[in-house]
Amino acid sequence: MSNGSSGRLIILSGPSGAGKSTVVRHLLEECDLPLKLSVSATTRSPREGEQHGEHYFFLSDEDFCRLREGGEFLECKEVFGLGYWYGTLREQVTTGLKAGNWVILEIDVQGALALMDDRTLSPITLFIHPGGMKELEQRLRTRGTEIEEAIRARLETAHNEMQHMHRYQFEVINGSVDLAVDEICRILKDHKEKYPCSKS
Ligand code: 5GP
C-alpha cells in the first residue's frame, strides 16, 4: 500500500488481558509521534463505557458481512471462536497513512500474520504480553468483563497466540504500563531514526 507520505503502519498484538488498550491509550497521549489508532469494526456488543466510532464500530452480523463482501476490510477474523468478528477497515488505514500518521492496529495474531505476509505494508510489529499465562489469567479475572466460558476461550487463544510471538519484530512485557509505553515509544522513535522515509 504505497501512501506517498511519511505515515507508518504499526501492528500491536498480544493476548486479551495483556493491557494493550491501556498501553495504547497512554501511548497516544504521551509519545511524541503522530500516532493514530485505527478503529476496528466488530460484531460483539459494547462493554460498559465503550462508544461506537471511538472504541469500535459495533456492527450487526449483516452489516459486517456486507462490508466484508464489499472488500472494505484490510483483514478480518473471527476471534476466540465465539462467533464474534473483528476487522480492520481499509479506509481507517489509508486515510491515516495519507495524512502522515503512524497508524496503530491493535489486532489479534491471526489478523497480524495475514498483514505481515503482505509485502506492500511493511508494518512495524510488536507483541505485548504480561510475562506468563498465570499473570494473564489473573488480569482477565480481575477485569471481570467476561463470563467463565469467554475467559476460558480467551486463555486458550492466548496460549496459541504466544506461540507466534517470534513472528513479531519486538516483544514488550507489560509489567508496568509506564515502562511498556516508554519502551514502545523508544522503539518507534528508533525506527524513525533508522528509516527516516516510510518503506510502505
Ligand atoms: P476485545 O473484544 O477484548 O476488544 O478484543 C478482542 C481481540 O480482538 C483482541 O485481541 C483485539 O486485539 C482483537 N481485535 C480488535 N480489533 C481487531 C481487528 O480489526 N482485527 C483483528 N484480527 N483482531 C482485532
Side-chain angles (χ1 to χ4, degrees), residues 83-155:
Y84 299 129
W85 283 79
Y86 294 77
T88 303
L89 290 157
R90 210 174 271 283
E91 186 269 340
Q92 287 276 313
V93 175
T94 46
T95 309
L97 291 178
K98 267 193 199 135
N101 290 130
W102 290 45
V103 180
I104 304 177
L105 306 186
E106 190 204 315
I107 61 176
D108 86 321
V109 168
Q110 307 173 74
L113 293 179
L115 298 185
M116 278 179 206
D117 288 342
D118 184 335
R119 283 166 183 264
T120 59
L121 293 174
S122 309
I124 304 167
T125 59
L126 302 117
F127 191 92
I128 182 162
H129 64 93
M133 291 300 293
K134 248 189 178 165
E135 287 82 355
L136 196 66
E137 181 164 358
Q138 205 172 12
R139 283 197 200 194
L140 276 176
R141 293 194 184 284
T142 311
R143 190 165 81 175
T145 51
E146 268 82 31
I147 56 167
E148 185 61 27
E149 186 193 2
I151 290 179
R152 286 189 187 284
R154 282 174 188 246
L155 284 172

Side-chain angles (χ1 to χ4, degrees), residues 10-25:
I10 300 160
I11 294 181
L12 185 75
S13 301
S16 175
K20 280 170 299 180
S21 306
T22 310
V23 166
V24 167
R25 201 175 64 241

Side-chain angles (χ1 to χ4, degrees), residues 8-196:
R8 308 280 207 288
L9 192 63
I10 300 160
I11 294 181
L12 185 75
S13 301
S16 175
K20 280 170 299 180
S21 306
T22 310
V23 166
V24 167
R25 201 175 64 241
H26 283 263
L27 201 59
L28 291 168
E29 285 168 9
E30 295 160 26
C31 185
D32 184 20
L33 284 169
L35 300 174
K36 186 178 185 300
L37 179 64
S38 161
V39 180
S40 294
T42 182
T43 60
R44 84 152 161 77
S45 307
R47 295 191 191 116
E48 207 178 318
E50 285 184 332
Q51 303 292 334
H52 180 79
E54 186 185 335
H55 298 91
Y56 283 105
F57 293 100
F58 295 99
L59 303 182
S60 63
D61 289 344
E62 293 73 27
D63 285 346
F64 194 98
C65 200
R66 197 171 38 76
L67 293 186
R68 188 180 175 200
E69 283 170 3
E72 304 281 345
F73 291 118
L74 201 53
E75 60 76 34
C76 69
K77 303 285 173 197
E78 186 190 354
V79 180
F80 306 129
L82 288 176
Y84 299 129
W85 283 79
Y86 294 77
T88 303
L89 290 157
R90 210 174 271 283
E91 186 269 340
Q92 287 276 313
V93 175
T94 46
T95 309
L97 291 178
K98 267 193 199 135
N101 290 130
W102 290 45
V103 180
I104 304 177
L105 306 186
E106 190 204 315
I107 61 176
D108 86 321
V109 168
Q110 307 173 74
L113 293 179
L115 298 185
M116 278 179 206
D117 288 342
D118 184 335
R119 283 166 183 264
T120 59
L121 293 174
S122 309
I124 304 167
T125 59
L126 302 117
F127 191 92
I128 182 162
H129 64 93
M133 291 300 293
K134 248 189 178 165
E135 287 82 355
L136 196 66
E137 181 164 358
Q138 205 172 12
R139 283 197 200 194
L140 276 176
R141 293 194 184 284
T142 311
R143 190 165 81 175
T145 51
E146 268 82 31
I147 56 167
E148 185 61 27
E149 186 193 2
I151 290 179
R152 286 189 187 284
R154 282 174 188 246
L155 284 172
E156 198 182 319
T157 303
H159 181 74
N160 296 333
E161 289 192 325
M162 298 285 271
Q163 317 300 315
H164 295 285
M165 188 159 65
H166 67 280
R167 296 284 310 273
Y168 289 72
Q169 293 159 332
F170 302 97
E171 175 189 353
V172 176
I173 296 179
N174 182 17
S176 126
V177 173
D178 287 345
L179 291 180
V181 170
D182 283 353
E183 187 179 351
I184 296 174
C185 189
R186 186 184 45 73
I187 287 170
L188 298 179
K189 286 184 170 172
D190 284 353
H191 181 92
K192 187 179 178 189
E193 233 169 69
K194 209 165 161 193
Y195 306 105

